[in-house]
Structure formats: C-alpha cells, structure tokens
C-alpha cells in the first residue's frame, strides 16, 4: 500500500497541490492499442482474514473426548458465506473467499488441536465493509465457543474501494478518443480485484484506466500474475503517449 504511506507523508499537500490524479494499468483482455475506463465505483476494497481455531486433539476414533477444530472450521466457513448471501445489501457486490486452510498436527486417525485459515473479503461499500467485519468475527467466535473451542479472528484492513471521479473520467475519455479514436476506447465492468491507487481516489479526483496489452496473433493473451504473462510491445508506446497526451490536455495544452 505505497499510496497510503505517501498520503500520510503529505504528498498531496505539497505545492503545487494536485488537482487530480490519473493511473494506468495493463489489461490483457483488451488488445494493444485500446484502453478501457469506468466512471464511478470501479474496484473493490480488499481485507485479509486470518483465523485460528483452537480445539483439543486426540484419536479420531474417539471424537466425543476431544474438540475437533476441523469440524468447527467447516461450520464457520459455511456460516460466513451465509453472511455474504443473507446479510450483504443485495445491491452491493460482496466476495468472501478462503484460499488457505492448514491444521497443526493431525493425520488420518488423529484429530488436530488447531486449524488456521486465511482468506479475503471484498466489497464496494465502506459502511457495509466494516459492519461485515464485526459480523464475521462475532459469528466465528460464537460458533467455536458453541462447540467447546476457541477462535482468534484477525481482520487486516487493506485497500478501500476505488472510485473514478465523474468529470475527470469523462475528460480522460475525450482525451483517449482524440488520441486513439472512438473505437479504441471501451467501457469496463466493475471488478472485485483491488488496487492501491484506490487510496488516492478517496482524497482527490482520480481516474484509473486500463491499457490493452494483448495480441491474439502473437499468442500474447495470458492474464496478469501468471508465469506466461506477456504483452504486445506496441502497447508501451501507446501507454506512454496517452499518458503524455492526457497530461498535456488536462493542463490546457
């Protein structure tokens, strides 16, 4: 979260105080030579969840004498998904996913004493975001307590949602059309991925857009964050040129 550190250190308060900010990010779903933009709320907040479930391990053939943290973990995951499907405002996209579950000890015939889970919670509304944090922690701890165990539930707050300022985004769209042509500027859907740039969008008018990078003929189609990611290098010229044209146009050039 470098943006949050820069904001805390006063980067937005130094003269000349910035009137707006633009961000550019590669986007393999779009072909090189094109860009995408979405006005308004565009990307989700992202929080990390670290859950430890403590039970009492022992022989798996004698479960009544022990407290099974794996069974408790299963109940917690199911209950937390119910929070998303039944407590979230129906108009607010919300995602809860656990990507890692490990037990301390355990075997085919041994109940472990501890289970650790790691996940992510994402949404597009700050009020619901923090309400959901409280619901998740309370629900998980009560479930563990009900089965005789204990739950330590840590929510590490991450990026807020990203909001593209209306007037700034509309101006960028006009600049991009001037530079690339109307057929090269596309509308983007909301994404539940998250972005450090979002911090800026809560401080001043911001516009975060996507730069097309793919080329089907060259087979350069792989998503970001994969070992096969590659770009049509023509996008580099487009990206630099559009950034320069945007700055020139925004400054009244």
């Amino acid at each position: 979260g470098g943006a949050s550190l820069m904001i805390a250190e006063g980067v937005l308060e130094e003269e000349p105080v910035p009137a707006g900010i633009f961000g550019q990010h590669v986007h393999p779903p779009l072909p090189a030579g094109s860009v995408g933009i979405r006005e308004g709320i565009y990307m989700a907040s992202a929080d990390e969840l670290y859950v430890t479930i403590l039970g009492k391990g022992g022989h798996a053939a004698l479960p009544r004498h022990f407290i099974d943290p794996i069974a408790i973990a299963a109940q917690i995951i199911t209950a937390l998904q119910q929070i998303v499907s039944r407590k979230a405002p129906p108009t607010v996209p919300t995602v809860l996913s656990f990507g890692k579950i490990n037990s301390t000890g355990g075997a085919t015939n041994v109940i472990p004493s501890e289970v650790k889970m790691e996940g992510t919670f994402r949404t597009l509304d700050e009020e619901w975001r923090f309400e959901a944090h409280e619901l998740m922690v309370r629900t998980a701890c009560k479930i563990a307590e009900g089965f005789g165990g204990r739950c330590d539930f840590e929510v590490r707050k991450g990026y807020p949602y990203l909001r593209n300022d209306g007037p700034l985004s509309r101006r960028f769209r006009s600049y991009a059309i001037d530079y690339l042509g109307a057929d090269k500027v596309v509308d983007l859907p909301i994404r539940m991925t998250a972005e450090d740039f979002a911090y800026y969008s809560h401080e001043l008018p911001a516009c975060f857009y996507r730069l097309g990078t793919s080329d089907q003929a060259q087979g350069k189609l792989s998503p970001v964050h994969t070992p096969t990611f590659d770009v049509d290098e023509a996008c580099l010229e487009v990206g630099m040129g559009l950034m320069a044209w945007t700055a020139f146009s925004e400054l009244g050039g």
Side-chain angles (χ1 to χ4, degrees), residues 66-99:
F66 306 105
I67 299 170
D68 187 347
I70 291 180
I72 295 172
Q75 294 287 335
I76 288 175
I77 290 174
T78 300
L80 296 186
Q81 293 295 345
Q82 291 291 312
I83 288 176
V84 170
S85 65
R86 289 295 177 264
K87 295 294 185 180
T91 56
V92 178
T94 304
V95 169
L96 170 65
S97 296
F98 282 95

Coordinates of all heavy atoms in Angstrom, one line a residue, residues 66-99:
F66 N -12.8 -35.3 22.5 CA -12.0 -34.2 22.0 C -12.8 -33.1 21.4 O -14.0 -33.2 21.4 CB -10.9 -34.7 21.1 CG -10.2 -35.9 21.6 CD1 -10.4 -37.2 21.2 CD2 -9.2 -35.7 22.6 CE1 -9.7 -38.3 21.8 CE2 -8.5 -36.7 23.2 CZ -8.8 -38.0 22.8
I67 N -12.2 -32.0 21.0 CA -12.8 -30.9 20.3 C -12.2 -30.7 18.9 O -11.0 -30.4 18.8 CB -12.7 -29.6 21.1 CG1 -13.3 -29.8 22.5 CG2 -13.3 -28.4 20.4 CD1 -13.0 -28.7 23.5
D68 N -13.0 -31.0 17.9 CA -12.4 -31.1 16.6 C -12.4 -29.7 15.9 O -13.5 -29.2 15.4 CB -13.3 -32.1 15.8 CG -12.7 -32.4 14.4 OD1 -11.8 -31.7 13.9 OD2 -13.2 -33.3 13.7
P69 N -11.3 -29.1 15.7 CA -11.2 -27.8 15.1 C -11.5 -27.8 13.6 O -11.9 -26.8 13.0 CB -9.8 -27.3 15.3 CG -9.0 -28.6 15.5 CD -9.9 -29.6 16.1
I70 N -11.3 -29.0 12.9 CA -11.7 -29.1 11.5 C -13.2 -29.0 11.3 O -13.7 -28.3 10.4 CB -11.1 -30.4 10.9 CG1 -9.6 -30.3 10.8 CG2 -11.7 -30.7 9.5 CD1 -8.9 -31.5 10.3
A71 N -13.9 -29.7 12.2 CA -15.4 -29.7 12.1 C -15.9 -28.2 12.4 O -16.8 -27.7 11.7 CB -16.0 -30.7 13.0
I72 N -15.2 -27.6 13.3 CA -15.6 -26.2 13.7 C -15.3 -25.3 12.5 O -16.1 -24.4 12.1 CB -14.9 -25.7 14.9 CG1 -15.3 -26.6 16.1 CG2 -15.1 -24.3 15.2 CD1 -14.5 -26.3 17.4
A73 N -14.1 -25.5 11.8 CA -13.8 -24.7 10.7 C -14.8 -24.8 9.6 O -15.2 -23.8 8.9 CB -12.4 -25.1 10.2
A74 N -15.3 -26.0 9.3 CA -16.3 -26.2 8.3 C -17.5 -25.5 8.6 O -18.1 -24.8 7.7 CB -16.6 -27.7 8.2
Q75 N -18.0 -25.5 9.9 CA -19.2 -24.8 10.3 C -19.0 -23.2 10.1 O -19.9 -22.5 9.7 CB -19.5 -25.1 11.7 CG -19.9 -26.5 12.0 CD -21.3 -26.8 11.5 OE1 -22.1 -25.9 11.3 NE2 -21.6 -28.1 11.2
I76 N -17.8 -22.8 10.4 CA -17.5 -21.3 10.3 C -17.5 -20.9 8.9 O -18.1 -19.8 8.6 CB -16.2 -21.0 11.0 CG1 -16.3 -21.1 12.6 CG2 -15.7 -19.6 10.6 CD1 -15.0 -20.9 13.3
I77 N -16.9 -21.6 8.0 CA -16.9 -21.2 6.6 C -18.3 -21.2 6.0 O -18.6 -20.2 5.4 CB -16.0 -22.2 5.8 CG1 -14.5 -22.0 6.1 CG2 -16.2 -22.0 4.3 CD1 -13.6 -23.0 5.5
T78 N -19.1 -22.2 6.3 CA -20.5 -22.2 5.8 C -21.2 -21.0 6.4 O -22.0 -20.3 5.7 CB -21.1 -23.5 6.2 OG1 -20.4 -24.6 5.7 CG2 -22.6 -23.5 5.7
A79 N -21.1 -20.7 7.7 CA -21.8 -19.6 8.3 C -21.4 -18.2 7.7 O -22.2 -17.3 7.5 CB -21.6 -19.6 9.8
L80 N -20.1 -18.1 7.5 CA -19.6 -16.8 7.0 C -20.1 -16.6 5.5 O -20.4 -15.4 5.2 CB -18.1 -16.7 7.0 CG -17.4 -16.8 8.4 CD1 -15.9 -16.6 8.3 CD2 -18.0 -15.7 9.3
Q81 N -20.2 -17.6 4.8 CA -20.8 -17.5 3.4 C -22.2 -17.0 3.5 O -22.7 -16.3 2.6 CB -20.6 -18.8 2.6 CG -19.2 -19.1 2.3 CD -18.5 -18.1 1.4 OE1 -19.2 -17.3 0.7 NE2 -17.2 -18.2 1.3
Q82 N -22.9 -17.5 4.6 CA -24.3 -17.0 4.8 C -24.4 -15.5 5.1 O -25.4 -14.9 4.7 CB -25.0 -17.8 5.9 CG -25.2 -19.3 5.6 CD -26.3 -19.4 4.5 OE1 -27.4 -18.8 4.7 NE2 -26.1 -20.2 3.5
I83 N -23.4 -15.0 5.7 CA -23.3 -13.5 5.9 C -23.3 -12.8 4.6 O -24.0 -11.8 4.4 CB -22.1 -13.2 6.8 CG1 -22.3 -13.6 8.2 CG2 -21.9 -11.6 6.7 CD1 -21.1 -13.4 9.1
V84 N -22.5 -13.3 3.7 CA -22.4 -12.7 2.3 C -23.8 -12.8 1.6 O -24.3 -11.8 1.0 CB -21.3 -13.3 1.5 CG1 -21.4 -12.8 0.1 CG2 -19.9 -13.0 2.1
S85 N -24.4 -14.0 1.6 CA -25.6 -14.2 0.8 C -26.9 -13.7 1.5 O -27.9 -13.4 0.8 CB -25.8 -15.7 0.5 OG -26.0 -16.4 1.7
R86 N -26.8 -13.5 2.8 CA -28.1 -13.1 3.5 C -28.0 -11.8 4.3 O -29.0 -11.2 4.6 CB -28.5 -14.2 4.5 CG -29.0 -15.5 3.9 CD -30.3 -15.2 3.1 NE -30.7 -16.4 2.4 CZ -30.5 -16.6 1.1 NH1 -29.8 -15.7 0.4 NH2 -31.0 -17.7 0.5
K87 N -26.8 -11.3 4.5 CA -26.7 -10.0 5.3 C -26.2 -8.9 4.4 O -26.4 -7.7 4.8 CB -25.7 -10.2 6.5 CG -26.2 -11.2 7.5 CD -27.5 -10.7 8.2 CE -27.9 -11.6 9.4 NZ -29.1 -11.1 10.1
A88 N -25.5 -9.2 3.3 CA -25.0 -8.1 2.5 C -26.2 -7.4 1.8 O -27.1 -8.0 1.4 CB -24.0 -8.6 1.4
P89 N -26.1 -6.1 1.6 CA -27.1 -5.4 0.8 C -27.2 -6.0 -0.6 O -26.1 -6.2 -1.2 CB -26.6 -3.9 0.8 CG -25.7 -3.8 2.0 CD -25.1 -5.1 2.2
P90 N -28.3 -6.3 -1.1 CA -28.4 -7.0 -2.4 C -27.9 -6.2 -3.5 O -27.6 -6.8 -4.6 CB -29.9 -7.3 -2.5 CG -30.6 -6.3 -1.6 CD -29.7 -6.1 -0.5
T91 N -27.7 -4.9 -3.4 CA -27.2 -4.1 -4.5 C -25.7 -3.8 -4.4 O -25.1 -3.1 -5.2 CB -27.9 -2.7 -4.5 OG1 -27.8 -2.1 -3.2 CG2 -29.4 -2.9 -4.8
V92 N -25.1 -4.4 -3.3 CA -23.6 -4.2 -3.1 C -22.9 -5.5 -3.4 O -23.0 -6.4 -2.6 CB -23.3 -3.7 -1.7 CG1 -21.8 -3.5 -1.5 CG2 -24.1 -2.4 -1.4
P93 N -22.1 -5.6 -4.5 CA -21.3 -6.8 -4.7 C -20.4 -7.1 -3.5 O -19.7 -6.2 -3.0 CB -20.5 -6.4 -6.0 CG -21.3 -5.4 -6.7 CD -22.0 -4.6 -5.6
T94 N -20.3 -8.3 -3.1 CA -19.5 -8.7 -2.0 C -18.9 -10.1 -2.2 O -19.6 -11.0 -2.7 CB -20.4 -8.8 -0.7 OG1 -21.0 -7.5 -0.5 CG2 -19.5 -9.2 0.5
V95 N -17.6 -10.3 -1.9 CA -17.0 -11.6 -2.1 C -16.2 -12.0 -0.8 O -15.5 -11.1 -0.2 CB -15.9 -11.5 -3.3 CG1 -15.1 -12.7 -3.3 CG2 -16.7 -11.3 -4.6
L96 N -16.4 -13.2 -0.4 CA -15.6 -13.8 0.7 C -15.1 -15.1 0.2 O -15.8 -16.0 -0.2 CB -16.5 -14.0 1.9 CG -15.9 -14.8 3.0 CD1 -14.7 -14.1 3.7 CD2 -17.0 -15.2 4.1
S97 N -13.8 -15.2 0.2 CA -13.1 -16.5 -0.2 C -12.0 -16.8 0.7 O -11.2 -16.0 1.1 CB -12.5 -16.3 -1.6 OG -13.5 -16.1 -2.6
F98 N -11.9 -18.1 1.1 CA -10.8 -18.6 1.9 C -9.9 -19.4 0.9 O -10.4 -20.4 0.3 CB -11.3 -19.5 3.0 CG -11.8 -18.7 4.2 CD1 -13.2 -18.5 4.4 CD2 -10.9 -18.2 5.2 CE1 -13.6 -17.7 5.4 CE2 -11.4 -17.5 6.2 CZ -12.7 -17.2 6.4
G99 N -8.7 -19.0 0.9 CA -7.7 -19.7 -0.1 C -6.7 -20.6 0.6 O -6.0 -21.2 -0.1

